[in-house]
Coordinates of all heavy atoms in Angstrom, one line a residue:
P269 N -51.4 36.7 61.2 CA -52.6 35.8 61.3 C -52.3 34.4 60.8 O -52.8 33.4 61.4 CB -53.7 36.5 60.5 CG -52.9 37.4 59.6 CD -51.7 37.9 60.4
V270 N -51.4 34.3 59.8 CA -51.1 33.0 59.3 C -50.3 32.1 60.4 O -50.6 30.9 60.5 CB -50.2 33.1 58.0 CG1 -49.8 31.7 57.5 CG2 -51.0 33.8 56.9
A271 N -49.4 32.8 61.1 CA -48.7 32.1 62.1 C -49.6 31.6 63.2 O -49.5 30.5 63.8 CB -47.6 33.0 62.7
L272 N -50.6 32.5 63.6 CA -51.5 32.1 64.7 C -52.4 31.0 64.2 O -52.7 30.1 65.0 CB -52.4 33.3 65.0 CG -51.6 34.5 65.6 CD1 -52.6 35.7 65.9 CD2 -50.9 34.1 66.9
I273 N -52.8 31.0 63.0 CA -53.7 30.0 62.4 C -53.0 28.6 62.4 O -53.5 27.6 62.8 CB -54.2 30.3 61.0 CG1 -55.2 31.5 61.1 CG2 -54.8 29.1 60.4 CD1 -55.6 32.0 59.8
I274 N -51.7 28.6 62.0 CA -51.0 27.3 61.9 C -50.7 26.8 63.3 O -50.7 25.5 63.5 CB -49.6 27.5 61.2 CG1 -49.1 26.1 60.8 CG2 -48.6 28.2 62.0 CD1 -50.0 25.3 60.0
M275 N -50.6 27.6 64.3 CA -50.4 27.1 65.7 C -51.7 26.4 66.1 O -51.7 25.4 66.8 CB -50.1 28.2 66.7 CG -48.6 28.6 66.6 SD -48.1 29.7 67.9 CE -48.7 31.3 67.4
L276 N -52.9 27.0 65.8 CA -54.1 26.4 66.1 C -54.4 25.1 65.4 O -54.7 24.1 66.0 CB -55.3 27.4 65.9 CG -56.7 26.9 66.1 CD1 -56.9 26.5 67.5 CD2 -57.7 27.9 65.7
I277 N -54.2 25.2 64.0 CA -54.5 24.0 63.2 C -53.5 22.9 63.5 O -53.9 21.7 63.7 CB -54.4 24.3 61.7 CG1 -55.6 25.3 61.4 CG2 -54.5 23.1 60.9 CD1 -55.6 25.8 59.9
G278 N -52.3 23.2 63.7 CA -51.3 22.2 64.0 C -51.5 21.5 65.4 O -51.4 20.3 65.5
T279 N -51.9 22.3 66.4 CA -52.3 21.8 67.7 C -53.4 20.8 67.6 O -53.4 19.7 68.2 CB -52.6 22.9 68.7 OG1 -51.4 23.7 68.8 CG2 -53.0 22.3 70.0
L280 N -54.5 21.2 66.8 CA -55.6 20.3 66.7 C -55.2 19.0 66.0 O -55.7 17.9 66.3 CB -56.7 21.0 65.8 CG -57.4 22.2 66.5 CD1 -58.4 22.9 65.6 CD2 -58.1 21.8 67.8
Q281 N -54.3 19.1 65.0 CA -53.9 17.9 64.3 C -53.1 17.0 65.2 O -53.4 15.8 65.2 CB -52.9 18.3 63.1 CG -52.4 17.1 62.4 CD -51.3 17.5 61.4 OE1 -50.8 18.6 61.4 NE2 -50.9 16.5 60.6
F282 N -52.2 17.5 66.0 CA -51.4 16.7 66.9 C -52.2 16.0 68.0 O -52.0 14.9 68.4 CB -50.2 17.5 67.5 CG -49.3 18.1 66.4 CD1 -48.9 19.4 66.5 CD2 -48.9 17.3 65.3 CE1 -48.1 19.9 65.5 CE2 -48.1 17.8 64.3 CZ -47.7 19.1 64.4
L283 N -53.2 16.8 68.5 CA -54.0 16.3 69.6 C -55.0 15.2 69.0 O -55.4 14.3 69.7 CB -54.8 17.4 70.2 CG -54.0 18.4 71.1 CD1 -54.9 19.5 71.7 CD2 -53.2 17.7 72.1
Y284 N -55.3 15.4 67.7 CA -56.2 14.3 67.1 C -55.5 13.0 67.1 O -56.1 11.9 67.3 CB -56.5 14.8 65.6 CG -56.9 13.6 64.7 CD1 -58.2 13.1 64.8 CD2 -56.0 13.1 63.8 CE1 -58.5 12.0 64.0 CE2 -56.3 12.0 63.0 CZ -57.6 11.5 63.1 OH -58.0 10.4 62.3
Y285 N -54.1 13.0 66.9 CA -53.4 11.7 66.9 C -53.3 11.2 68.3 O -53.2 9.9 68.4 CB -52.0 11.9 66.3 CG -52.0 11.9 64.8 CD1 -52.1 13.0 64.0 CD2 -52.0 10.6 64.1 CE1 -52.2 12.9 62.6 CE2 -52.0 10.5 62.7 CZ -52.1 11.7 62.0 OH -52.1 11.6 60.6
D286 N -53.4 12.0 69.3 CA -53.5 11.5 70.7 C -54.7 10.6 70.8 O -54.7 9.5 71.3 CB -53.5 12.6 71.7 CG -52.1 13.0 72.2 OD1 -51.1 12.2 71.8 OD2 -51.9 13.9 72.9
K287 N -55.9 11.2 70.4 CA -57.1 10.5 70.4 C -57.1 9.2 69.6 O -57.6 8.2 70.0 CB -58.3 11.4 70.0 CG -58.5 12.7 70.8 CD -58.9 12.3 72.2 CE -59.2 13.6 73.0 NZ -59.5 13.2 74.4
K288 N -56.5 9.3 68.4 CA -56.4 8.2 67.5 C -55.6 7.0 68.2 O -56.0 5.9 68.1 CB -55.8 8.6 66.2 CG -55.7 7.5 65.2 CD -55.2 8.0 63.8 CE -55.1 6.8 62.8 NZ -54.5 7.3 61.5
F289 N -54.5 7.4 68.7 CA -53.6 6.4 69.4 C -54.3 5.8 70.6 O -54.2 4.6 70.9 CB -52.3 6.9 69.7 CG -51.4 7.3 68.6 CD1 -50.5 8.3 68.6 CD2 -51.5 6.5 67.4 CE1 -49.7 8.6 67.5 CE2 -50.7 6.8 66.3 CZ -49.8 7.9 66.4
D290 N -55.0 6.7 71.4 CA -55.7 6.2 72.6 C -56.8 5.2 72.2 O -56.9 4.2 72.9 CB -56.4 7.4 73.3 CG -55.4 8.2 74.1 OD1 -54.2 7.8 74.2 OD2 -55.7 9.3 74.6
R291 N -57.5 5.4 71.1 CA -58.6 4.5 70.7 C -57.9 3.1 70.3 O -58.5 2.1 70.6 CB -59.4 5.1 69.6 CG -60.3 6.2 70.0 CD -61.3 6.5 68.9 NE -60.7 6.9 67.7 CZ -60.5 8.1 67.3 NH1 -60.8 9.1 68.1 NH2 -59.9 8.4 66.2
K292 N -56.8 3.2 69.6 CA -56.2 2.0 69.1 C -55.6 1.2 70.2 O -55.6 0.0 70.1 CB -55.2 2.4 68.0 CG -54.6 1.2 67.3 CD -53.7 1.6 66.2 CE -53.1 0.3 65.5 NZ -52.3 0.7 64.3
Y293 N -55.0 1.9 71.1 CA -54.3 1.2 72.2 C -55.0 1.4 73.5 O -54.4 1.6 74.6 CB -52.8 1.7 72.3 CG -52.0 1.5 71.1 CD1 -51.9 2.5 70.2 CD2 -51.5 0.3 70.7 CE1 -51.1 2.4 69.0 CE2 -50.7 0.1 69.6 CZ -50.6 1.2 68.7 OH -49.9 1.0 67.5
I294 N -56.3 1.3 73.5 CA -57.2 1.7 74.7 C -56.8 0.8 75.9 O -56.8 1.3 77.0 CB -58.7 1.5 74.3 CG1 -59.5 2.1 75.5 CG2 -59.0 0.1 73.9 CD1 -59.4 3.5 75.7
K295 N -56.5 -0.4 75.7 CA -56.2 -1.3 76.8 C -54.9 -0.9 77.5 O -54.8 -0.8 78.7 CB -56.1 -2.8 76.4 CG -55.8 -3.7 77.5 CD -55.7 -5.2 77.0 CE -55.5 -6.1 78.2 NZ -54.2 -5.9 78.9
N296 N -53.9 -0.5 76.7 CA -52.6 0.0 77.2 C -52.8 1.2 78.0 O -52.2 1.5 79.0 CB -51.7 0.2 76.0 CG -51.4 -1.0 75.2 OD1 -52.4 -1.8 74.9 ND2 -50.2 -1.2 74.7
V297 N -53.7 2.1 77.5 CA -54.0 3.4 78.2 C -54.6 3.1 79.6 O -54.3 3.7 80.6 CB -54.9 4.3 77.4 CG1 -55.2 5.6 78.1 CG2 -54.1 4.7 76.1

Side-chain angles (χ1 to χ4, degrees):
V270 177
L272 297 177
I273 289 171
I274 195 58
M275 283 192 282
L276 175 61
I277 294 177
T279 297
L280 293 176
Q281 178 190 9
F282 301 137
L283 294 180
Y284 160 77
Y285 276 95
D286 269 354
K287 298 296 184 182
K288 182 177 180 180
F289 291 150
D290 283 353
R291 288 194 300 268
K292 184 172 183 178
Y293 301 99
I294 186 65
K295 181 179 183 300
N296 302 36
V297 174

